[in-house]
Amino acid sequence: MIRFLRHEEIDRHRWDEVITHSPEGTIYAESWFLDAVCPGWHALVEDDYKAVFPLTWRKKYGLHYLFQPPFCQQLGLFSKQESPLIDAAPFLEAIPKHYRLVELQLNSGNRCTHPAFTVTERPNLELRLQRDYAALAKGYSDNTSRNLRKAQQSGLVVETADSIEPVIRLFRDNRGSTLERFDEQQYERLRSLAGSALEKGRGIIRLVRDPSGQLHAGAFFLQSKDRLIFLFSGTSAEARKSGAMSALIDRVIHAHAGTNMRLDFEGSVDPNLARFYRSFGSEEVVYLQIRRNRLPFPFRLFKS
């Protein structure tokens, strides 16, 4: 039996226990993370917390809808069941009818056979870190190897930081200035999320500086079970010439080489970013984006 639970009805301890033991369990679906990216989230729960499905919702113009929160690439169905792929269709059927629009991204362990949903495959890029560093570095592209030599010649240094603020400043001053979807609310949510992750020992921040102390690049990673998630980054105008981001990612790979971790680049539909991530030897892992539009006219036209 699949039940709909409002936020205050969810047993958070049992919820997190499912995520911990799920083969596809991820930090995105842990209760504290969901609180940060979608305060007041609801859920579908099967039987006595056999499986769970977060419902990240909003309300606009009196209409309820489900959406994929920012900084949260994959959600969907999580179960303790050991299976290569689990069909999310029964949970999708159980979504309450008052959610008139559903736009969600399932995790890579889910499939969807529900005929009412449009399904789109999306690429994630992951690098398994089980081999030693020398073996991993052999998988780098020629361009990445050149960038690492440039970074070394420029005297760039990768350092650890305890605040995401320098990374946000880099992003806002450069690429962020061209993206309308990043407003002040998004930055505040990111600050809160990073602060919580660092307090829990689940966040890593790396910065790259030149010998004069000028900041060239920065990145924030999440530690999620068996993976490091490359969640957010910023680069200066000089970073492309100095190879700063290549140096940063290389140091993270070096630090975790020979472990059971994966470096999760979160993929990209941007071909240039995807090419950059692939240049470290990463491989594509597909996850599904699902959609159903039951909005009344004329709202449906704006989401067609």
Side-chain angles (χ1 to χ4, degrees):
M1 179 181 175
I2 299 173
R3 299 173 290 146
F4 169 71
L5 298 182
R6 301 184 65 82
H7 185 71
E8 61 273 13
E9 298 173 316
I10 299 167
D11 185 323
R12 300 167 69 88
H13 174 75
R14 302 188 73 183
W15 176 279
D16 288 332
E17 190 177 56
V18 176
I19 304 305
T20 297
H21 291 95
S22 171
E24 297 301 325
T26 173
I27 196 170
Y28 300 132
E30 293 180 21
S31 60
W32 71 270
F33 194 96
L34 289 168
D35 288 342
V37 297
C38 184
W41 55 281
H42 298 325
L44 298 173
V45 174
E46 182 179 10
D47 298 333
D48 196 18
Y49 286 83
K50 176 182 177 182
V52 298
F53 191 113
L55 299 176
T56 46
W57 67 280
R58 280 178 178 160
K59 182 179 179 181
K60 190 173 184 179
Y61 304 125
L63 299 169
H64 293 79
Y65 63 98
L66 300 180
F67 76 108
Q68 194 70 23
F71 313 117
C72 187
Q73 187 197 61
Q74 301 179 32
L75 288 173
L77 174 58
F78 298 91
S79 171
K80 297 179 182 178
Q81 174 184 335
E82 291 286 346
S83 174
L85 281 176
I86 303 176
D87 193 355
F91 281 78
L92 301 181
E93 183 64 31
I95 292 175
K97 302 303 181 189
H98 66 268
Y99 295 117
R100 305 298 295 273
L101 175 69
V102 177
E103 292 180 319
L104 295 174
Q105 291 167 190
L106 306 180
N107 65 69
S108 57
N110 293 170
R111 62 190 179 98
C112 175
T113 61
H114 198 300
F117 286 82
T118 301
V119 178
T120 304
E121 291 189 350
R122 293 178 66 89
N124 194 26
L125 290 166
E126 300 178 3
L127 175 64
R128 295 182 179 274
L129 301 173
Q130 284 86 348
R131 294 173 294 164
D132 63 31
Y133 173 73
L136 291 168
K138 285 181 180 179
Y140 291 177
S141 71
D142 290 343
N143 189 56
T144 291
S145 296
R146 281 194 297 271
N147 283 336
L148 293 177
R149 287 194 293 271
K150 285 192 295 185
Q152 186 176 24
Q153 291 164 3
S154 300
L156 298 187
V157 175
V158 180
E159 62 184 43
T160 300
D162 57 7
S163 170
I164 198 172
E165 204 58 42
V167 188
I168 290 177
R169 283 200 304 271
L170 271 178
F171 181 83
R172 292 187 78 156
D173 293 344
N174 294 277
R175 185 166 178 262
S177 62
T178 67
L179 300 176
E180 293 182 2
R181 65 187 177 88
F182 269 90
D183 56 22
E184 192 56 42
Q185 183 180 27
Q186 296 283 64
Y187 289 119
E188 282 302 317
R189 187 151 291 174
L190 178 59
R191 289 186 183 97
S192 174
L193 177 60
S196 296
L198 290 167
E199 286 179 7
K200 295 175 181 292
R202 307 288 298 281
I204 298 173
I205 296 172
R206 296 288 185 268
L207 305 176
V208 183
R209 298 185 188 275
D210 65 22
S212 70
Q214 181 180 352
L215 189 59
H216 284 233
F220 171 52
F221 298 82
L222 288 170
Q223 293 183 294
S224 175
K225 201 173 178 178
D226 63 346
R227 66 180 64 206
L228 289 171
I229 299 173
F230 185 43
L231 190 76
F232 184 79
S233 65
T235 55
S236 69
E238 296 80 12
R240 182 180 293 273
K241 294 180 180 179
S242 67
M245 188 53 74
S246 293
L248 189 156
I249 293 173
D250 173 69
R251 288 300 85 192
V252 170
I253 291 172
H254 185 276
H256 294 88
T259 70
N260 66 344
M261 302 291 284
R262 284 174 282 179
L263 178 54
D264 184 338
F265 288 99
E266 283 205 326
S268 181
V269 293
D270 181 323
N272 291 324
L273 278 177
R275 190 179 306 112
F276 177 67
Y277 298 152
R278 288 183 189 277
S279 73
F280 292 91
S282 62
E283 298 177 342
E284 183 174 301
V285 178
V286 171
Y287 64 99
L288 303 181
Q289 183 180 60
I290 61 169
R291 190 173 189 273
R292 181 175 64 178
N293 187 349
R294 297 172 52 252
L295 291 170
F297 183 86
F299 297 100
R300 185 180 304 158
L301 300 179
F302 297 105
K303 279 290 186 178
S304 60

